Structures are given as structure tokens and as C-alpha cells.
Amino acid sequence: MEKSPDAFRTISEVADELDLPQHVLRFWETRFQQIKPMKRGGGRRYYRPEDVDLLKGIRHLLYDHGYTIKGVQKLLKANGNKFVAAIASGDLATVEALAASSHEEPAPPKVGIADEDQIVGRAKAPPSRRFFSFGGGGDDADISIGKASVSKEDRALLQEALYDLLECKRLLDQVR
């Protein structure tokens, strides 16, 4: 039996719909103050349709556009929940209207191109090559590892990953 589009969803239903583990949704609640599922007895979470739309937008920006959590937080702060939800649905007219209403000058938002700290890199690598471009030795290569070289862009990706791992280690150390 299918639920109504307006029905509340459990965390497992939302996780299945977004193809994410449940712990990721719980983690996002700690990073995005806009995600506020209703909690019932025993801590059970129930997500409103607006919450699910917002989560779809966050997932789309993080996984498909390569934004960092900090970058999505900035987008949410600058443009609001409806803007991020509209990005996931592909509603370009709504995205432009919301962006124009949230700024003094009506400039379209830069969803694909953003500040350096908002985009980590290409979210989806072409199937013909790996995520990090070892071996090609492009024009901007600056580090050599044997016969392979690491471009400045890949070096920045590695530094970002290292920072994230160190932050995870710090959080784990606090828990212990």
C-alpha cells in the first residue's frame, strides 16, 4: 500500500528513497539546523514532505554537484530551504525566482560554480578515468610520484580529504 504524498515518512522510508544509510540522515540533522523531523516517543523520527524535499536537495548538492557541507550551509543561509529543494526537483524557474528575491540585485545563483570552499571537485567522474587523474600529467601538474603526477586540482582534493579525516579523528577522540 502506497502512502499519500502528504504523509509523514519514517527515517527508514526516507533513507530508502534517498538511497542513503539512516546514520547519514541523523548526521545531517546535526549539520543542517533546517532539518527538523518531528520526533515521537522513543525518539522515532517522522519527516514532513518539506523535510524530504530539503533532504533531496542537500543530497543532490553534496553528491551530484560536489558541494561540501559548509558550502550547502552557505547556500541554505543565503537562499533558504525552498531554493535547495527546488534545485533537487530541477525547477529552474523557482530557483531563479527564489534567488532573485533573496538578493538585492536579481542575479541567477551559481549552483554549478561557487566559492573555492563550496565545491570539492567533480562529484561524478567520467567512466573513462579515475576520480584522481594520476598518470596524465597535465599542464598544471606540480607533484611527481614515480611516473605519475598530481595536478593542483587533485592535490586540493587530497588536502580536503585529509582535513575531513583529521576532523573525523578529532570527533572520535572526543567521544572516547
Side-chain angles (χ1 to χ4, degrees):
M1 186 169 150
E2 190 78 16
K3 278 191 174 181
S4 161
D6 296 333
F8 284 36
R9 307 274 190 249
T10 64
I11 191 168
S12 62
E13 291 171 327
V14 175
D16 288 343
E17 185 176 340
L18 297 176
D19 193 28
L20 292 169
Q22 293 178 18
H23 70 269
V24 171
L25 297 176
R26 289 188 210 99
F27 173 73
W28 286 356
E29 285 179 37
T30 66
R31 295 295 183 242
F32 301 104
Q33 64 185 6
Q34 296 85 354
I35 302 173
K36 296 176 188 164
M38 186 178 75
K39 292 186 182 175
R40 300 292 296 213
R44 288 184 160 246
R45 291 168 168 80
Y46 291 94
Y47 293 88
R48 298 167 192 84
E50 309 85 60
D51 295 330
V52 176
D53 292 340
L54 178 60
L55 287 166
K56 285 179 184 177
I58 291 171
R59 184 193 187 289
H60 183 70
L61 289 170
L62 290 173
Y63 292 121
D64 298 336
H65 284 283
Y67 277 74
T68 62
I69 287 177
K70 187 176 180 181
V72 175
Q73 288 170 340
K74 286 182 181 180
L75 273 178
L76 281 166
K77 185 177 180 183
N79 299 302
N81 296 3
K82 290 181 182 179
F83 175 82
V84 173
I87 288 173
S89 67
D91 188 0
L92 188 58
T94 303
V95 169
E96 289 176 352
L98 290 169
S101 67
S102 67
H103 300 295
E104 282 77 42
E105 65 272 357
K110 296 179 180 178
V111 175
I113 303 170
D115 295 334
E116 197 173 304
D117 66 340
Q118 288 183 323
I119 293 186
V120 174
R122 296 171 302 281
K124 292 184 176 178
S128 62
R129 61 189 274 274
R130 290 195 237 163
F131 185 76
F132 293 107
S133 56
F134 288 106
D139 297 338
D140 57 320
D142 61 351
I143 299 174
S144 294
I145 304 171
K147 293 182 179 179
S149 61
V150 180
S151 69
K152 289 180 183 177
E153 180 182 322
D154 289 341
R155 184 173 186 203
L157 290 171
L158 289 169
Q159 286 175 333
E160 179 75 20
L162 177 62
Y163 173 78
D164 289 344
L165 288 170
L166 290 171
E167 181 65 14
C168 289
K169 182 184 182 308
R170 184 187 67 78
L171 292 170
L172 285 171
D173 289 342
Q174 285 181 347
V175 173
R176 293 183 190 159

